[in-house]
Amino acid sequence: MKHTVDYQTLAGVLTEIQEQPPWRYNADREMDYCDGNQSDTETLQDMRDKGMKPTTENVLGPVMDDITGMEAKNRTDWRTAPDGDSDEEAEKVSKAIGYKLNQAERRSGADRALTRAYHSLAKVGIGFVEVDRSADPFKFPYQVGFVHRNECWWDWFSKKDDMSDSRWFLRRRWAHVDTAKAMWPNKKALIDGSGAGWGNIDDLSLMAADSGESTDLAQSWDMERGWSIEEQEWKDPTGKRVCLFHLLTRHYENVMVLKLRNGRVVEFNKSDPLHIAAVSSGMRLEKAVISKIKKTIFLGPHIMQTEMSEFDRFNFVKFVGKCEDRTNVPYGTLRWLMPLQDEINARITKMKWLLSATRTTRTKGAVKMTDEVFRHEVGRPDADIILDQAHMALAGAKFEVDSNMDLNRQQYERLLDLRESVKRLSGVTSAFSGDSKPENSGAMSQAIEQSVQSLATLNDNFSYGRMQVGELLVSMIVRDIGKEQQEVTIKGNALKDDEIIVLNAPVVDEETGMQYLTNDVQRTVLKVALEDVPSTQHFRQQEMMSMTEVMKSASDDIKGILMPHYLDLTNIPNKDDIVAAVREMAAGASISKAKMEKAVEEAKKQAVEEAKIKWMVDQKNRDLDLKEEKQRAEIQKIIAETVSKAIESIYSGTQAGAQIMSMQGVAPVADQVLRSAGFEDKDQAPIVAEGPIVAPVNVQKNTSPMFPGRVQESDIEAPVAQDLDAGMEGPAVGMNEGIEEMGVQV
């Protein structure tokens, strides 16, 4: 649907403006009070008639400076963040756009413009900031500027602070004719005619069209004649100035939109293959009513330029402080303080007048001078009054002069009370302005917190407007990037290295073969917020003081870690080089310390290994010693057993020999038995030889089978040869021939 904007549209807007409440006069008067222009013509004339010299003590200016200074002191930067669920790509895009946004903040004049808007907001309740592209190609492409309230008008029926429901917004600005012609060189004739008041109207021939040289200026002149707006509203022929009307109008359209899975909503474009593919894949189209902004620039009733705005909102941001409940008229802190300022000025003027004024009471003829001369003389500090002696001798004659010091003291007490009332109403305590010296820091902090709480509404409204300015800048940054690949280098510092982020990098999907963009700027939904930590120099100084207190009680290791961050808060020359050197030294110390710790750790491990090896060797040696002792014991046991067996064998052999010797017939039998058993003879046969017969030996008997009886030396006697053939005689014959047998009896 096509929307037409013509000079009748502007006329309707200007007529609507005339019906708005007349709040601008009061706002101008309030700003005059803040600037020190506090006495009107009527008041000055009244004081002059009373002989008073007007005196002004501007208490509003310093109070407002305390309030507005808080913005400069606690200013925070913008930051961008993904709106909704975020992933790695969204975080990278957000970081890159945030870096470019901070660049735009510094170079577009945004901070300065926002500071002036805060001043206007706090003082009179309203301020405006314009966000637009720079017309000068040699300057930064974006510009942010403060716009005076008397240049801006908006739809008074709008209820939202961001003017998202406002039908129109108008900026009215006077410009010199030469400036207008430089802006629109193809319309110089029209601008000259409007600015000069059509002084050459007689040269505008309607018949010039026959020659092909018609400029249509006659039609433009006729349009001005029929326009209902007075000429003084838009032209100044004497000063060669014209008024340019920058009109933004909101138009509503019915469109089809696509809601993407990441929450982003885009207008459906049937010429875009991606949109067609999305619909084919099952994504639903939805009907929606959206608004679009049209920008038109008028010079009076003449349209100089018209185009659709690149923004989806007005590029003028309104900052609102306080508003009246019924009329929605904006106002600021100055409205409450103006009556107090008037009384302060009156009290000071009265006190000064009383300090030099005198009140006299006299009877007629008491002084020898005219009344005019007397009144002039009595007010002088070196007054010389000559009384009439004859008159003063009369009964009832009187002459008194009263300086009225008691009344002056009352005036001073009231003045002190008024000054305190100004601080109470404005929310600026003595501690907040730096005048108080409380007994402890807790009381000061509480007083400052009270002031901050009183100004919280103003600061919150300002933060809301500041975020809108950031969103407008982000929209221009994203539009300029488009879908082109761009490399953003985020500059680091002494504490952080540079980081490179590539936006809109083309990548081919290995599975499908389709090309898509990584870190796609157009698909990432961003939101603008304010940093939690202020970025001002004053705040950095506070951080530095806090860091100093921490470092005083920190250990040497902690100081080494904190030192680079501490130096980064300073403003010393070559700060980055110093911080880099400190970090390098700290890194070297850390490496040396790490090496030392590693060496100590290795020494510990080596000592443990050596101790373990020594223990294992000792344990092995102990095991060997034990084994050797065991073997020695076993050898000794074997030797003992061998000796014991040898002794037993010798004894058994001796016994066997003794029996053989005593019984000769046993030897052949025993020899045969041994041979049958496989016994090998170690000497010549026979195995058991027959020996001579010897007398039996008395052997001590032993009943133990383990210990055979042993022959005692005292019992052994030399053997005596016997003749076996001889008869057996003697006392022993009878004993041996009994039931006892020869040999040892067990």
Side-chain angles (χ1 to χ4, degrees), residues 693-694 720-729:
I693 300 173
V694 296
V720 179
Q722 294 182 6
D723 188 3
L724 297 178
D725 296 332
M728 303 297 293
E729 293 179 0

Side-chain angles (χ1 to χ4, degrees), residues 567-637:
L567 293 175
D568 188 58
L569 297 173
T570 64
N571 290 323
I572 57 178
N574 303 324
K575 177 180 65 176
D576 292 345
D577 296 337
I578 296 175
V579 174
V582 172
R583 292 186 66 192
E584 183 177 355
M585 182 181 67
S590 299
I591 293 174
S592 300
K593 184 177 180 180
K595 289 182 178 179
M596 185 179 297
E597 292 178 352
K598 184 177 180 181
V600 172
E601 193 68 24
E602 290 179 355
K604 289 181 179 179
K605 290 182 179 179
Q606 185 176 359
V608 171
E609 292 294 330
E610 291 178 355
K612 185 184 296 184
I613 292 173
K614 183 179 180 181
W615 178 84
M616 293 176 64
V617 171
D618 293 342
Q619 189 71 19
K620 190 70 175 177
N621 291 333
R622 183 182 299 177
D623 292 341
L624 292 175
D625 292 342
L626 292 175
K627 187 175 182 181
E628 185 177 354
E629 292 178 0
K630 182 177 180 182
Q631 289 178 351
R632 188 181 299 110
E634 290 178 352
I635 290 173
Q636 292 178 353
K637 180 180 179 182

Side-chain angles (χ1 to χ4, degrees), residues 44 112 224 362 379 484 506 521 589 652 666 677 745:
L44 293 175
R112 181 62 180 170
E224 289 186 13
R362 60 188 174 92
E484 298 294 329
V521 175
S652 299
V666 177
Q745 299 299 318

Side-chain angles (χ1 to χ4, degrees), residues 163-408:
M163 297 187 294
S164 59
D165 59 342
S166 179
R167 295 176 293 112
W168 53 267
F169 182 91
L170 177 67
R171 181 184 182 184
R172 179 188 178 201
R173 187 173 187 180
W174 289 88
H176 197 272
V177 172
D178 294 339
T179 303
K181 289 191 294 184
M183 296 173 64
W184 296 282
N186 58 335
K187 297 184 178 181
K188 289 182 179 180
L190 174 62
I191 296 171
D192 282 333
S194 297
W198 300 103
N200 57 348
I201 187 61
D202 294 337
D203 297 335
L204 300 176
S205 175
L206 297 178
M207 299 303 294
D210 296 337
S211 62
E213 299 178 356
S214 175
T215 59
D216 292 333
L217 294 180
Q219 182 179 1
S220 299
W221 173 72
D222 187 63
M223 186 184 301
E224 289 186 13
R225 289 184 59 196
W227 204 35
S228 59
I229 305 302
E230 297 293 335
E231 289 187 357
Q232 62 267 23
E233 294 291 331
W234 61 276
K235 69 166 53 178
D236 180 14
T238 304
K240 293 185 178 181
R241 297 191 310 159
V242 291
C243 188
L244 301 177
F245 296 93
H246 186 165
L247 179 64
L248 300 175
T249 53
R250 187 185 303 275
H251 305 282
Y252 294 94
E253 295 181 1
N254 294 318
V255 297
M256 304 297 291
V257 297
L258 284 171
K259 290 187 176 180
L260 306 181
R261 294 181 179 87
N262 61 354
R264 184 166 173 253
V265 179
V266 297
E267 183 179 353
F268 176 70
N269 183 6
K270 60 182 179 181
S271 301
D272 193 335
L274 295 178
H275 288 195
I276 300 298
V279 175
S280 302
S281 64
M283 189 172 294
R284 295 180 56 185
L285 286 172
E286 297 183 8
K287 292 183 178 180
V289 179
I290 64 173
S291 64
K292 294 186 177 181
I293 307 300
K294 190 171 186 179
K295 179 174 65 176
T296 309
I297 299 178
F298 291 88
L299 191 158
H302 313 295
I303 296 179
M304 310 302 292
Q305 178 181 339
T306 182
E307 61 184 359
M308 295 302 297
S309 175
E310 65 174 290
F311 305 103
D312 58 355
R313 64 181 78 180
F314 296 148
N315 62 316
F316 290 85
V317 179
K318 181 175 67 171
F319 292 81
V320 181
K322 299 181 177 66
C323 291
E324 293 181 357
D325 180 64
R326 295 187 61 186
T327 63
N328 208 31
V329 169
Y331 68 93
T333 308
L334 288 174
R335 173 183 288 193
W336 299 343
L337 305 180
M338 285 174 59
L340 299 177
Q341 179 68 71
D342 288 337
E343 188 172 354
I344 288 174
N345 292 339
R347 296 295 174 186
I348 293 178
T349 302
K350 184 73 171 179
M351 288 173 61
K352 289 182 64 178
W353 182 76
L354 287 174
L355 289 174
S356 60
T358 56
R359 182 171 58 185
T360 61
T361 304
R362 60 188 174 92
T363 55
K364 190 173 181 58
V367 296
K368 290 184 176 182
M369 58 185 69
T370 62
D371 293 343
E372 183 178 355
V373 174
F374 169 74
R375 294 189 181 98
H376 181 270
E377 184 69 20
V378 78
R380 295 176 55 179
D382 56 346
D384 183 13
I385 308 299
I386 301 176
L387 301 178
D388 189 337
Q389 186 176 3
H391 178 79
M392 295 301 296
L394 298 176
K398 187 176 183 180
F399 180 83
E400 294 179 355
V401 179
D402 184 11
S403 60
N404 198 13
M405 294 302 296
D406 293 337
L407 180 59
N408 195 50

Side-chain angles (χ1 to χ4, degrees), residues 660 663-676 688 690:
I660 292 173
M663 297 178 66
Q664 293 294 327
V666 177
V669 176
D671 185 72
Q672 184 63 37
V673 172
L674 292 175
R675 286 181 180 180
S676 297
V688 179
E690 296 179 358

Side-chain angles (χ1 to χ4, degrees), residues 500-563:
I500 299 177
I501 298 177
V502 180
L503 301 177
N504 298 329
V507 177
V508 177
D509 193 340
E510 297 180 356
E511 297 181 358
T512 62
M514 295 183 62
Q515 183 176 349
Y516 65 95
L517 299 179
T518 59
N519 299 336
D520 192 345
V521 175
Q522 303 299 323
R523 292 191 303 107
T524 305
V525 183
L526 301 175
K527 62 180 179 180
V528 178
L530 299 180
E531 293 284 359
D532 298 329
V533 179
S535 59
T536 60
Q537 183 61 33
H538 178 80
F539 187 80
R540 291 171 64 88
Q541 292 177 356
Q542 288 183 338
E543 287 184 321
M544 185 175 178
M545 293 175 62
S546 300
M547 186 75 75
T548 302
E549 296 298 325
V550 173
M551 293 188 66
K552 287 181 180 178
S553 58
S555 61
D556 293 338
D557 295 339
I558 300 300
K559 287 181 180 179
I561 298 173
L562 296 179
M563 183 57 69

